Amino acid sequence: MQSQHAAKRPTVPSPDDPLVDVRQAEAALVEHYPRLVRLAYLMLPPEPGAGGRRVLTAHALVQRALPRGRTAAPVIPAQSPRPERAVGPDGDPGYALVRLQVVRTALRASPSRRTAVRRRGVRRRRAGLPALPPPLPQVWGLRLFPRSGGADELALEQKLSALSGPARAAHVLRALERLPDADVRTLLTEAGVADAVGALREADRVPAEDRLLGSPAFDPCSLQARPTDLVRRRRRLKAVLAGGAALVVCGALFGLPEDGWGPDGAAAPPYALNRAAQAALDPGKLTRVSPAAWKTSARTDFSVWPARGDLAGDAGLLRRALAVWARPGERVRVSATPGTPSGGPAGPPQLLYAGTVDHARVVVLHDGLRIARYAEPVDGTEGAALDLARADGADRAGASALVLGRSDGNVRYLTAPWVRAAGTRDLREPGADTADLALTGGVTPPLAGAAPKSGSCTSWNVLELTDDTGTRLVTDLGELVPAALTAGRPGKTGAVAGGEARRTWAPFACSLASMRSAGVRSVNAWAFAEQPLPDASGAAAWVCTRAETWRGGGTRTQAQFHTPGGPSGVVAAQAGDVPQCGEREPRVLAGVLWKSGAGTWYLLAAGSPGTTSVTATGGVEGTAQGSLLTVGAEQGARADLEGTLENGDRVTGLR
């Protein structure tokens, strides 16, 4: 007997061992489900009065035996008396894998007091504690147990209960699975049993009777049902209801402000009063800046704007604006520019304006990061709106004006306190005069919007502002803060004040429509090249426009091309979040297919100053020294551009 149970090292899986995927294991589990559940049921220790829990635990162990991914099948030596049993029924490696998992979990579910189980390389001895009921499956209000057996089944049950968990598993594998001792020893070792040889010796005390193990008395799939203890269940229900009521009362008491803590650690409950939050809702604590503060302040941004408007003293209106900002209702229309947080202010914000604008009462607030505009009809609060926009890091140009309201295609602005004069002009007409605007408390009269959102673009109206430092242009792009327009080489840009800068912008003004509602802070136009046309019809202008945003990301760069006599420029190339045409990389290379008056197609390409050569490859081939390239091409041809700079660096075409 000693030689029969001699210890043997488990075979180490090799790359040639069969791999079992989840579907194969599931198919084996479903096909042999009654057999696997009977195995688990017999390996679990009998517990007087807990037959129903043993049945449910056996089902739970089998249902949770599926692997998570492709797994190597367990290696069982081939000296079985029945070769088809070398891996499982009909030699199925999926069954062998599921069976191994069932044995492993059955041994862990309720090991006996004498069982030493090896797990993760650590030898542990566990006490015979009753297993907790499985999470699934669950049966409420019924007790389930197999059919009653005879005297032989009862005697076998008593003998099995006297064995340890590994010995009971060894007996079941011998008798029910008909595995030889060597296979049983290997399987138990892989299941985590530290002394498989000892388990086999202990199992020798019970004769292997596969006829009895196949009895209906040990079949957890053929069950009888009886009700649970009805009186005890009624008492438990009453106790649960009483405990639940007590828990609700205690939770309410502990959750009251200053009487306990909420679920977020040391934070107060969500409904607890917070001084900073309360102050942010109090119109009496709004920050109001002196009208002359900007004259002596080192900063020239929204933080030095005074409170203006005929309703700056209306506490009810201000309270409603603050409350809606903190917690807008379902009927409030809320909008925010990209990258703008929509939550309420952290403390009392600064009041910039409160007054009547056309047919609405408007409140404009500033919390250091954002501009918030609250608007409600003059005859009630139905249809209120809240608009938010980032304005952190604003300079003198970025804080020169705000949009108070829009109505019937017209726009009203609130200008900065340092603005001395305002006017409007058409950006597409660089030689036209400015139409002066009368400012009333810093508010402009309604002026026509920039351009229609659809249809042809024949004009683009901008706001011209004059202060002690000069004149600048800003344009409405559908947000609270108008975008500042600049012109010049990146790093050396300036306000659009003179005729040359306005002429640079004129052909490309309508391209600003593509930058609406993108959180744009400023847009620069850089005339980086002029290119003679091959039909001697003049020189085309190359301009790179770049939109910077308040949030930093989301920049938009466009290389545009304009021929003499053309109404507007065309976008030859564009890209987002690229450094070209920006202060970090003041360079660009772009190309366009152009058709001459004679019907001939050309590839025209231009690079920024400092480009020493331009090369086209792909659908059009050609190279030119300098920053300009003109090559004959076919209609619809596509080409890749590459340029060389004076310092030897390479630059590719904008895309």
Side-chain angles (χ1 to χ4, degrees), residues 318-380:
L318 299 178
R319 187 181 302 277
R320 291 193 298 274
L322 292 170
V324 169
W325 189 3
R327 51 182 192 278
E330 295 181 355
R331 298 184 178 181
V332 178
R333 292 173 297 157
V334 181
S335 69
T337 58
T340 303
S342 58
Q350 175 188 354
L351 176 63
L352 303 184
Y353 181 86
T356 304
V357 179
D358 296 326
H359 303 291
R361 290 188 290 261
V362 176
V363 178
V364 181
L365 303 166
H366 177 235
D367 68 349
L369 172 67
R370 300 163 294 172
I371 297 293
R373 181 184 64 188
Y374 169 79
E376 65 180 24
V378 294
D379 55 355

Side-chain angles (χ1 to χ4, degrees), residues 203-466:
D204 289 337
R205 300 204 302 260
V206 179
E209 300 183 62
D210 56 334
R211 177 185 60 83
L212 290 179
L213 292 182
S215 168
F218 301 118
D219 184 8
C221 292
S222 179
L223 304 171
Q224 300 182 80
R226 295 292 186 272
T228 58
D229 190 329
L230 300 179
V231 176
R232 180 182 298 178
R233 188 167 66 186
R234 182 179 300 171
R235 292 174 180 172
R236 287 180 177 177
L237 179 60
K238 292 180 179 179
V240 169
L241 293 176
L247 184 62
V248 171
V249 173
C250 293
L253 292 176
F254 278 101
L256 290 175
E258 301 180 3
D259 288 340
W261 298 109
D264 298 327
Y271 49 80
L273 299 180
N274 181 278
R275 293 182 179 179
Q278 285 183 294
L281 299 176
D282 186 355
K285 295 186 178 181
L286 284 171
T287 301
R288 298 171 185 258
V289 177
S290 168
W294 65 273
K295 297 180 180 179
T296 57
S297 173
R299 301 177 59 176
T300 50
D301 54 17
F302 292 112
S303 66
V304 295
W305 277 35
R308 289 173 284 182
D310 58 315
L311 299 179
D314 189 336
L317 172 63
L318 299 178
R319 187 181 302 277
R320 291 193 298 274
L322 292 170
V324 169
W325 189 3
R327 51 182 192 278
E330 295 181 355
R331 298 184 178 181
V332 178
R333 292 173 297 157
V334 181
S335 69
T337 58
T340 303
S342 58
Q350 175 188 354
L351 176 63
L352 303 184
Y353 181 86
T356 304
V357 179
D358 296 326
H359 303 291
R361 290 188 290 261
V362 176
V363 178
V364 181
L365 303 166
H366 177 235
D367 68 349
L369 172 67
R370 300 163 294 172
I371 297 293
R373 181 184 64 188
Y374 169 79
E376 65 180 24
V378 294
D379 55 355
T381 59
E382 188 70 24
L386 176 68
D387 300 307
L388 299 168
R390 283 187 63 165
D392 50 314
D395 54 10
R396 191 183 189 95
S400 58
L402 288 174
V403 174
L404 276 185
R406 298 181 180 88
S407 177
D408 300 328
N410 297 323
V411 185
R412 283 185 186 267
Y413 294 93
L414 175 65
T415 61
W418 52 81
V419 172
R420 294 188 288 104
T424 180
R425 65 163 52 248
D426 184 359
L427 191 60
R428 287 181 53 84
E429 298 292 339
D433 294 333
T434 302
D436 295 335
L437 298 174
L439 298 178
T440 305
V443 179
T444 69
L447 57 142
K453 294 184 179 180
S454 61
S456 60
C457 176
T458 58
S459 64
W460 190 275
N461 297 320
V462 295
L463 180 66
E464 184 177 88
L465 302 173
T466 303

